């Protein structure tokens, strides 16, 4: 190399390669050997958000991928730092969200010698990702970055991992040797096989009891307009999966979410739009469904088709959902121009009666004014206070399950919860990412994070991150002193400290923990709420008053023994404690 030839280091090359691929957000925790890399990213114009836990950082980055369709980056140190992201990697891959984790690693020339935080990180990441690699040289870094982005967004989206040794990040290479790669384009839509589309229309128009199920894949595919048109034009009953809420507004006249169990059990045809026949849909099997139920499953991933039921029971259609819905509409116009599902059928009467009875029961529970409050009293007041375009983050057992039925979504991608992987502890990371994106793209949009006290505890220190960046998130901790249920202070104190390991029930947490004071100590606003009137007052201040631009945590005490109303079926096959 000539002495006067310009050189650049690996940190610069990697930062510029990320920027070239449209990466705008990085969430992470710095240390050896990535501290300089984070600074280089900022110099390249990438927004860096320092988090308090690697798992939460990965959750945050993955939500950017879900909301935008392009990945964000989670940046972590070597060894334990990288390993702490595995929960986030798996969560993103199972949820089908694009994300890239960049992990620092011990120097390559010291591999196998017991270097500081040395670990086989590439091998460790492989099980949880679509793509994992270590660049072969500084000059080749842009190739690997482009490939990681492309793999994360192509086909079924998911996670990618890039491993960067310290000597590669700090090493230099001639500027002329760098392989510059242009931004990879968004994936082209895949059309369905036309005979399959025609079969869809035949099954639909011959069905006596059709039901449309809208999944979060429909939100990711940006197919809301096409699905709304399909449901409206053909007057089809529908229900959303938990994160499919808002693709069609929850208050739509054809929504039968309040009759979910009856609808699933009695439908003769279930059309799955971006939803999988996994545990959330009870695998498409009895006793949740009839043995004679037929399914139409539209999915981008061919391996997902026919996954839970035999091919005789499912018509699997591979394709991009937005494009396939357009194909279905074209075929319906050609073959069944005047068809519409009748509104006076026995099927509609059955569903309507169940919807009305369940709504009446929910309203009855919501009107209970007793103290301590129940879940419905709290959640209905939250629903009455929050803006219609709020992004709702929700997690926790009963808090999330009941919140799914009470808290309404009117826009796609506006509900974020435990998702397909059933991951608890995602709430603060998700809320931070949503608030960051809202600040940049939708300044008037609010982010509301509603979670149980147990779920909050997984990543509660991220409140410091929220306060450091002054993100105006409203956190509502529905506090029942436990996991699913707790006990009151009298019962708790009746058990001596010495006896608690053997006598305190495993799901009990410390009663009346002041999470609101934790928020206050970090620079936000905290409120300790015990009555419906106090909750209404604080919520009004958060959304219409003097705290619109403040990070707020409302610690809402409820009855430790509160539960949801009796269910026809639990989410899982086995009952809970």
């Amino acid at each position: 190399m000539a002495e006067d030839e310009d050189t650049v280091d690996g940190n610069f090359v990697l930062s510029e390669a990320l920027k070239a691929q449209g990466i705008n957000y990085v969430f992470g925790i710095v240390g050896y050997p990535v501290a300089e890399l984070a600074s280089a990213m900022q110099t390249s114009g990438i927004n860096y958000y320092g988090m308090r836990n690697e798992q939460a950082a990965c959750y945050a980055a993955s939500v950017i991928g879900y909301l935008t369709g392009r990945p964000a980056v989670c940046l972590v140190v070597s060894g334990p730092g990288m390993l702490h992201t595995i929960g986030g990697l798996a969560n993103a891959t199972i949820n089908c969200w694009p994300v890239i984790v960049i992990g620092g690693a011990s120097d390559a020339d010291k591999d196998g010698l017991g270097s500081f935080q040395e670990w086989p990180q590439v091998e460790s990441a492989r099980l949880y990702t679509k793509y994992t690699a270590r660049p072969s040289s500084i000059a080749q870094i842009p190739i690997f970055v482009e490939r990681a982005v492309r793999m994360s967004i192509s086909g079924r989206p998911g996670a990618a991992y890039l491993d960067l040794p310290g000597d590669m990040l700090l090493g230099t290479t001639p500027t002329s040797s760098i392989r510059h790669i242009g931004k990879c384009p968004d994936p082209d839509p895949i059309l369905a096989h036309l005979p399959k589309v025609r079969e869809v229309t035949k099954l639909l128009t011959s069905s006596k009891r059709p039901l449309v199920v809208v999944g979060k894949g429909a939100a990711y595919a940006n197919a809301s307009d096409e699905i709304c048109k399909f449901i409206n034009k053909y007057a089809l009953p529908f229900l959303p999966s938990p994160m499919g809420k808002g693709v069609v507004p929850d208050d739509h006249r054809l929504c039968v979410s309040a009759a979910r169990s009856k609808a699933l059990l009695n439908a003769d045809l279930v059309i799955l739009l971006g939803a999988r026949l996994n545990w959330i849909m009870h695998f498409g099997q009895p006793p949740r469904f009839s043995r004679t139920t037929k399914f139409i499953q539209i999915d981008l991933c061919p391996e997902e088709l026919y996954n839970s039921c035999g091919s005789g029971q499912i018509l699997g259609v591979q394709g991009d959902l937005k494009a396939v819905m357009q194909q279905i509409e074209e075929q319906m116009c050609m073959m069944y121009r005047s068809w519409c599902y009748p509104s006076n059928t026995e099927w509609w009467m059955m569903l309507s009666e169940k919807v009305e009875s369940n709504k009446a029961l929910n309203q009855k529970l919501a009107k209970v004014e007793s103290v301590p409050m129940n879940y419905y009293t709290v959640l209905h007041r939250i629903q009455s206070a929050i803006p219609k375009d709020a992004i709702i983050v929700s997690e926790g057992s009963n808090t999330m399950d009941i919140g799914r039925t009470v808290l309404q979504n009117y826009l796609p991608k506006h509900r974020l919860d435990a998702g397909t992987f059933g991951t608890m502890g995602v709430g603060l990371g998700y809320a931070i990412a949503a608030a960051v994106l809202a600040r940049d793209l939708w300044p008037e949009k609010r982010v509301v994070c509603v979670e149980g006290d147990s779920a909050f505890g997984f990543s509660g220190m991220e409140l410091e991150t929220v306060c450091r960046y002054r993100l105006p998130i409203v956190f509502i901790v529905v506090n029942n002193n436990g996991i699913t249920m707790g006990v009151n202070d009298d019962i708790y104190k009746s058990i001596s400290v010495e006896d608690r390991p053997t006598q305190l029930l495993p799901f009990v947490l410390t009663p009346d923990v002041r999470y609101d004071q934790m928020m206050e100590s970090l620079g936000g606003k905290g409120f300790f709420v015990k009555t419906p009137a106090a909750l209404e007052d604080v919520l009004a201040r958060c959304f219409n008053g003097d705290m619109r631009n403040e990070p707020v945590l409302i610690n809402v005490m409820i009855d430790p023994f509160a539960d949801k109303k009796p269910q026809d079926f639990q989410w899982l096959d086995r009952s809970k404690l």
Side-chain angles (χ1 to χ4, degrees):
M1 182 177 66
E3 290 185 6
D4 59 348
E5 188 170 1
D6 290 338
T7 63
V8 288
D9 66 14
N11 289 315
F12 175 84
V13 174
L14 178 55
S15 300
E16 291 297 307
L18 292 169
K19 191 65 178 177
Q21 294 304 322
I23 302 294
N24 294 315
Y25 300 99
V26 177
F27 302 85
I29 298 178
V30 297
Y32 176 83
V34 298
E36 294 88 351
L37 176 56
S39 296
M41 289 174 171
Q42 290 177 316
T43 301
S44 296
I46 299 172
N47 297 291
Y48 176 83
Y49 289 88
M51 304 284 284
R52 300 301 299 265
N53 179 274
E54 291 91 353
Q55 232 177 2
C58 197
Y59 295 147
S62 68
V63 160
I64 297 292
Y66 172 62
L67 294 177
T68 69
R70 304 287 297 199
V73 164
C74 172
L75 175 65
V76 294
V77 302
S78 54
M82 179 271 160
L83 291 174
H84 290 168
T85 69
I86 282 178
L89 287 169
N91 185 68
T93 295
I94 296 297
N95 274 331
C96 309
W97 295 351
V99 69
I100 297 173
V101 170
I102 294 177
S106 52
D107 291 356
D109 63 353
K110 300 296 190 301
D111 279 349
L113 300 180
S115 297
F116 175 68
Q117 295 185 333
E118 182 181 352
W119 187 258
Q121 296 170 187
V122 173
E123 292 85 347
S124 295
R126 190 162 283 128
L127 185 62
Y128 311 96
T129 60
K130 289 185 65 183
Y131 173 75
T132 181
R134 171 181 283 193
S136 53
S137 68
I138 297 172
Q140 303 282 28
I141 285 175
I143 295 175
F144 285 82
V145 169
E146 187 275 341
R147 189 175 299 155
V149 172
R150 177 160 40 88
M151 292 291 285
S152 75
I153 64 175
S154 299
R156 170 169 280 180
Y161 173 70
L162 292 177
D163 200 57
L164 276 299
D167 52 351
M168 184 178 292
L169 292 173
L170 296 175
T172 60
T173 192
T175 303
S176 60
S177 71
I178 300 169
R179 293 285 303 277
H180 295 286
I181 306 294
K183 180 180 177 180
C184 71
D186 293 336
D188 292 330
I190 298 173
L191 295 176
H193 187 45
L194 196 54
K196 290 282 189 78
V197 178
R198 294 184 181 128
E199 186 65 21
V200 168
T201 63
K202 291 178 184 177
L203 286 171
L204 172 60
T205 54
S206 62
S207 170
K208 302 299 184 185
R209 299 186 302 279
L211 177 68
V212 177
V213 175
V214 182
K216 73 173 180 293
Y220 187 84
N222 297 315
S224 179
D225 289 346
E226 290 76 11
I227 292 173
C228 286
K229 179 179 179 181
F230 176 70
I231 287 170
N232 283 322
K233 184 174 181 180
Y234 303 112
L236 297 169
F238 79 95
L239 60 84
S241 73
M243 286 185 60
K245 285 163 60 67
V247 172
V248 185
D250 281 344
D251 60 353
H252 195 285
R253 63 184 179 84
L254 300 174
C255 182
V256 295
S257 286
R260 182 181 188 276
S261 292
K262 186 172 284 290
L264 295 178
L265 179 60
N266 292 282
D268 66 355
L269 177 69
V270 176
I271 305 172
L272 299 162
L273 304 180
R276 289 181 261 181
L277 282 176
N278 54 16
W279 67 275
I280 296 175
M281 284 293 117
H282 312 293
F283 312 104
Q285 298 174 1
R288 277 60 169 173
F289 292 85
S290 167
R291 295 185 183 277
T292 59
T293 303
K294 295 280 188 181
F295 296 90
I296 296 171
Q297 185 178 15
I298 303 173
D299 200 285
L300 190 64
C301 178
E303 290 84 358
E304 184 64 37
L305 304 175
Y306 314 110
N307 200 33
S308 293
C309 304
S311 59
Q313 205 172 342
I314 297 180
L315 173 64
V317 182
Q318 184 198 3
D320 174 82
L321 186 58
K322 187 179 182 74
V324 175
M325 293 308 297
Q326 293 169 353
Q327 289 182 282
I328 291 172
E329 174 59 18
E330 290 171 3
Q331 290 301 309
M332 288 292 289
C333 288
M334 291 173 58
M335 301 170 64
Y336 305 98
R337 181 179 296 274
S338 61
W339 185 85
C340 179
Y341 186 70
S343 61
N344 59 350
T345 62
E346 188 177 315
W347 178 228
W348 260 123
M349 289 176 60
M350 178 194 304
L351 293 175
S352 298
E353 288 175 3
K354 187 63 173 178
V355 165
E356 291 307 314
S357 65
N358 277 346
K359 283 183 177 179
L361 179 56
N362 282 349
Q363 287 295 330
K364 181 180 179 181
L365 291 167
K367 290 178 180 178
V368 174
E369 294 284 340
S370 60
V371 176
M373 294 179 280
N374 67 45
Y375 285 100
Y376 296 87
T377 302
V378 171
L379 290 166
H380 273 277
R381 280 161 176 77
I382 296 171
Q383 169 59 30
S384 297
I386 62 177
K388 292 190 72 171
D389 66 345
I391 297 176
I392 300 172
V393 183
S394 185
E395 63 171 335
S397 180
N398 287 339
T399 300
M400 182 177 65
D401 287 353
I402 301 171
R404 174 178 55 86
T405 64
V406 175
L407 302 178
Q408 302 292 287
N409 292 96
Y410 308 96
L411 296 168
K413 299 184 184 179
H414 279 57
R415 177 179 169 88
L416 303 166
D417 65 22
T420 309
F421 208 30
T423 311
M424 292 298 165
V426 297
L428 273 84
Y430 283 6
I432 287 168
V436 163
L437 205 59
R439 174 177 282 176
D440 289 349
L441 302 181
W442 320 296
E444 298 303 314
K445 196 178 294 291
R446 303 304 305 276
V447 177
V448 183
C449 184
V450 185
E451 48 185 14
D453 51 326
S454 171
F456 173 79
F458 281 93
S459 52
M461 271 310 297
E462 295 301 340
L463 286 183
E464 189 276 327
T465 306
V466 172
C467 292
R468 188 180 348 129
Y469 294 106
R470 303 306 298 173
L471 299 173
I473 304 168
V474 177
F475 294 95
I476 304 167
V477 179
V478 183
N479 191 345
N480 70 344
N481 302 336
I483 303 169
T484 303
M485 64 178 291
V487 295
N488 59 37
D489 196 47
D490 290 340
I491 296 174
Y492 179 79
K493 287 179 178 177
S494 70
I495 303 173
S496 69
V497 173
E498 293 78 13
D499 289 336
R500 286 175 189 170
T502 56
Q503 295 185 21
L504 190 66
L505 294 172
F507 44 78
V508 170
L509 302 174
T510 305
D512 303 333
V513 173
R514 296 297 301 271
Y515 302 111
D516 52 298
Q517 292 181 352
M518 179 179 173
M519 177 61 115
E520 289 276 350
S521 72
L522 295 168
K525 300 291 185 181
F527 296 89
F528 188 61
V529 169
K530 289 187 173 183
T531 67
L535 177 59
E536 290 175 4
D537 179 64
V538 175
L539 289 170
R541 291 181 62 189
C542 289
F543 298 110
N544 302 306
D546 59 333
M547 294 185 299
R548 284 182 50 82
N549 298 312
E550 296 287 336
V552 177
L553 186 146
I554 309 171
N555 188 13
V556 185
M557 302 308 303
I558 67 168
D559 185 347
F561 307 106
D563 201 357
K564 54 189 169 187
K565 61 184 175 61
Q567 305 291 299
D568 294 329
F569 297 106
Q570 295 291 342
W571 281 105
L572 303 179
D573 293 325
R574 293 184 295 276
S575 62
K576 300 183 295 182
L577 290 171

